[in-house]
Amino acid sequence: MLTINNLHARVEDTPILKGLNLQIGPGEVHAIMGPNGSGKSTLASVLAGREDYEVTAGSVDFDGTDLLELDASDRAREGLFLAFQYPVEIPGVSNLNFMKAAVNAKREHQGLEPIAAKDFLAMVKEKSALVELDGRLRDRSVNEGFSGGEKKRNEIFQMAMLEPKLAVLDETDSGLDIDALRIVSEGVNAMRNAGRSFLVITHYQRLLDHIVPDFVHVLSDGQIVKSGPKELALELEAKGYDWIKEPVA
Amino acid sequence: MAGANDIATQKAQDFVAGLTGSGTTGLSALAEAGRAALADLPVPTRKSERWKYSPITAMLASPVKVAPAPQAWPEDVPINPVPGLDAYRVVLVNGHVVPEACDLPVADGVVCMAMSQAVAAGLIGAGDEDWTGYHSREWIGAVNAAHAQDGLYLSLESGTSLDRPVVVHHHVTGQDVASCPRHRILLGANSQAEVVLWTSAAEGTSGMVNGVLEGRVGPGARLGVDKVQHEHGVLFHLAHEHVTQDKDSTFRIHTVTVKGHWVRNELNVLQQGSGAHTIMHGAYLPKGNEHVDNHTTMDHTVPHCTSSELYKGILYGTSTGVFNGKVFVREDAQLTNAYQQNANIVADAGASINAKPELEIYADDVKCSHGCTVGQFDEEALFYLKSRGIGDRAARALMVQAFIGDVLEGFGSEEVATEVEELLAARHSWM
């Protein structure tokens, strides 16, 4: 699904990713943990195509496509989804118009007709129920006036609407209370299937109690320094990051 | 050596001397007064604060002439600029009314005709030609008066209302053409009217439009104006509107510059009866090297009045914009509630906006709020939209429509709103 090979990226003159390697197979859930400043959010941004980041070396193969050659909207149309750490408020753009434009952009990319209004509304109803946002999106602007929890649930709603091949969740658990964490996690779990992969970026092990990963990686100073099964997250929670110093050989 | 002002004055004198041809309105006393005033009034230059950001130097450089009356309405121009709008019509070409193309209401208590007819019928008495003394106060006003042409004359008796809007379609065509239309709207107590003021100009047109509209909204009356400028060619358009409101009246105006090479809209509203309410919306989206200036004055002189002003602009290319919004709350205007908002997006590095809210408040028990912003497109929001698969152009279009949307709400006619949105969408490749 995703093969990252020797990825280097920088913001302005500051190198942040320094030779990152990662392979994610279809249907797998990978968690990336690591201390502040290790490059977790940079990885998410580079994958999604944020222009402030410059890739200086390496490659990213996304299901047979050279991801780095595509702009952000084409990456999304190819099936990549980024759940933002800080979802953006866009006053005046309605949630539903926004999602309709997004759904139709993807359909056009796939050579399909725009979605019928009735089908779209049925889809909204079904997917918003998944994250308990039913009836709360209509007549409201994108994320405007949403609580922190509602914004994160809206991210998962959008993911459900767009049915990506690979979803990158960038600290989706930050700022969530226990209930919102449960709702968001259940939304993600409901979408897990054999063809869809997830990259879950988080500081804390508690999210991984809800979204149980197949693999856990530790990112430090722009490289994956340790990988292991889900139990690695518990070990990190207990010991912190300091005991991991050097990259894996 | 002559100073800059002398050069400007000389250019202005040459411009005025070349501006031959007279209107057909029959407002001869006004024309004479205008000509006399031209000799004394200072020519607007950058030295005057009011004209600092909208110099008329380029206009004065090309002589213009008042065109003779056309034989007919040009065949290739739709008479009704708003498809599907069921409306009465007063149509002008280069400042001349084309009677065959007009469609005037006939009803008790309604007088709606060409200004020239109203003058001929004696409806405009001596000393009543210029309600605000504009011709004796402003050089531009004197130019209009000296060459005053035709326009709309609408007068409603108390308690009458027009069943359909009146579209005043002024089409400008030809080169180095001067048009000086004059309109007057007079609403009696509790009467109601909607007017669409539409200016169009053909490709290749050049010259000046220098128009005046005088309005009086009587007690309890309601006047709505949808004003649209959609002008091809190289036209310098100076528009001056002055509306006086009586007790409990409502005046609403939406001013949208869809396209215009150089536009200056001066809108002055005077509330002189308590309980009056004013709504002023404006939108400007200049491209290329276009220039759009909106100068508004909201004058609250009596208690218990409200005003709500919202102007938004998006400036592309190397275009320039001006928003100057003056709000007076006079000493007697207690319990005024005045709101003014001006927001701008400078979309390209070469574009600029000069935005200037000006509030002068002399009463102590009032509520006045105002805000003025100048910014760029929110890159984070654009990235958010793109990260969902929406292309760059569509994402920008969504953002623009979201930004400008609330200004475009509240037009008198749905059809006008739709047409304006479609013209803007076509011009800016939205959707």
Side-chain angles (χ1 to χ4, degrees), chain B residues 218-236:
Chain B
R222 301 174 75 89
L223 173 63
V225 176
D226 296 340
K227 175 177 159 178
V228 180
Q229 293 157 326
H230 185 219
E231 302 160 0
H232 299 288
V234 181
L235 208 58
F236 293 84

Side-chain angles (χ1 to χ4, degrees), chain A residues 197-217:
Chain A
S197 312
F198 290 85
L199 181 59
V200 181
I201 292 170
T202 182
H203 257 298
Y204 302 107
Q205 188 270 336
R206 65 168 190 170
L207 177 66
L208 306 180
D209 286 342
H210 298 270
I211 304 172
V212 180
D214 300 307
F215 301 94
V216 174
H217 309 277

Side-chain angles (χ1 to χ4, degrees), chain A residues 50 73 77 82 105 155 158, chain B residues 380 384 386-391:
Chain A
R50 196 186 282 275
S73 53
R77 292 170 195 176
L82 171 66
E155 295 294 288
Q158 293 171 32
Chain B
E380 188 62 18
Y384 191 68
K386 287 195 252 185
S387 77
R388 300 307 183 237
I390 300 171

Side-chain angles (χ1 to χ4, degrees), chain B residues 119-151:
Chain B
V119 173
L123 294 176
I124 295 176
D128 185 36
E129 298 96 341
D130 181 357
W131 283 346
T132 66
Y134 179 47
H135 78 278
S136 58
R137 203 174 61 239
E138 285 276 351
W139 188 84
I140 294 292
V143 169
N144 171 283
H147 302 276
Q149 288 181 286
D150 222 338

Side-chain angles (χ1 to χ4, degrees), chain B residues 127-399:
Chain B
D128 185 36
E129 298 96 341
D130 181 357
W131 283 346
T132 66
Y134 179 47
H135 78 278
S136 58
R137 203 174 61 239
E138 285 276 351
W139 188 84
I140 294 292
V143 169
N144 171 283
H147 302 276
Q149 288 181 286
D150 222 338
L152 166 74
Y153 180 90
L154 173 66
S155 169
L156 298 187
E157 277 181 20
S158 299
T160 53
S161 52
L162 278 180
D163 57 340
R164 291 189 265 158
V166 180
V167 174
V168 180
H169 184 185
H170 183 198
H171 182 70
V172 185
T173 180
Q175 295 194 334
D176 304 324
V177 171
S179 312
C180 300
R182 276 189 91 89
H183 310 291
R184 181 170 286 188
I185 299 170
L186 184 52
L187 299 193
N190 302 310
S191 65
Q192 274 192 48
E194 285 287 334
V195 174
V196 179
L197 280 180
W198 193 288
T199 311
S200 62
E203 295 280 357
T205 299
S206 63
M208 168 185 78
V209 176
N210 178 345
V212 171
L213 180 143
E214 297 172 314
R216 177 77 185 252
V217 190
R222 301 174 75 89
L223 173 63
V225 176
D226 296 340
K227 175 177 159 178
V228 180
Q229 293 157 326
H230 185 219
E231 302 160 0
H232 299 288
V234 181
L235 208 58
F236 293 84
H237 188 163
L238 300 130
H240 176 87
E241 284 114 27
H242 187 103
V243 174
T244 302
Q245 291 185 250
D246 291 323
K247 190 174 185 305
D248 297 328
S249 65
T250 301
F251 170 57
R252 171 199 66 77
I253 183 165
H254 280 59
T255 304
V256 182
T257 306
V258 171
K259 177 174 167 62
H261 171 70
W262 191 101
V263 174
R264 174 167 165 120
N265 294 308
E266 275 183 25
L267 172 60
N268 302 318
V269 179
L270 169 67
Q271 290 177 339
Q272 62 174 25
S274 66
H277 179 48
T278 309
I279 300 160
M280 294 187 269
H281 278 203
Y284 40 98
L285 299 90
K287 279 168 79 165
N289 63 348
E290 293 167 358
H291 176 79
V292 183
D293 176 345
N294 281 285
H295 258 71
T296 65
T297 303
M298 180 69 242
D299 197 350
H300 292 277
T301 69
V302 289
H304 292 288
C305 289
T306 55
S307 64
S308 176
E309 180 172 10
L310 178 65
Y311 273 72
K312 285 190 176 180
I314 304 175
L315 298 108
Y316 297 97
T318 55
S319 68
T320 47
V322 179
F323 174 79
N324 193 112
K326 197 168 239 182
V327 177
F328 290 109
V329 180
R330 309 285 180 185
E331 205 174 343
D332 290 338
Q334 298 295 356
L335 301 171
T336 293
N337 189 343
Y339 171 82
Q340 184 192 77
Q341 175 74 33
N342 172 232
N344 301 281
I345 289 179
V346 179
D348 294 312
S352 65
I353 175 80
N354 293 288
K356 203 158 99 186
E358 293 181 63
L359 279 76
E360 292 189 25
I361 300 169
Y362 301 100
D364 52 13
D365 187 10
V366 300
K367 208 169 133 187
C368 292
S369 52
H370 75 105
C372 181
T373 60
V374 178
Q376 277 87 43
F377 277 116
D378 181 346
E379 290 296 329
E380 188 62 18
L382 274 174
F383 177 66
Y384 191 68
L385 295 172
K386 287 195 252 185
S387 77
R388 300 307 183 237
I390 300 171
D392 184 72
R393 208 150 98 165
R396 281 174 199 275
L398 269 178
M399 302 266 300

Side-chain angles (χ1 to χ4, degrees), chain A residues 39-135:
Chain A
K40 300 191 301 294
S41 283
T42 296
L43 174 61
S45 293
V46 167
L47 290 177
R50 196 186 282 275
E51 284 168 7
D52 310 340
Y53 296 83
E54 190 191 346
V55 174
T56 50
S59 66
V60 181
D61 179 288
F62 178 46
D63 207 17
T65 306
D66 181 357
L67 193 73
L68 301 177
E69 281 301 303
L70 304 177
D71 79 355
S73 53
D74 281 330
R75 293 181 194 196
R77 292 170 195 176
E78 285 290 337
L80 180 84
F81 182 90
L82 171 66
F84 280 53
Q85 183 178 2
Y86 304 108
V88 183
E89 295 190 17
I90 314 181
V93 175
S94 88
N95 278 300
L96 296 194
N97 281 349
F98 164 49
M99 264 303 100
K100 201 173 198 174
V103 166
N104 282 334
K106 187 178 174 195
R107 289 176 67 90
E108 190 184 347
H109 186 69
Q110 294 169 334
L112 299 171
E113 292 289 305
I115 190 167
K118 194 168 132 263
D119 297 344
F120 176 72
L121 290 175
M123 192 176 175
V124 168
K125 197 169 176 198
E126 182 202 331
K127 307 294 186 187
S128 60
L130 203 62
V131 285
E132 300 179 24
L133 272 179
D134 2 358

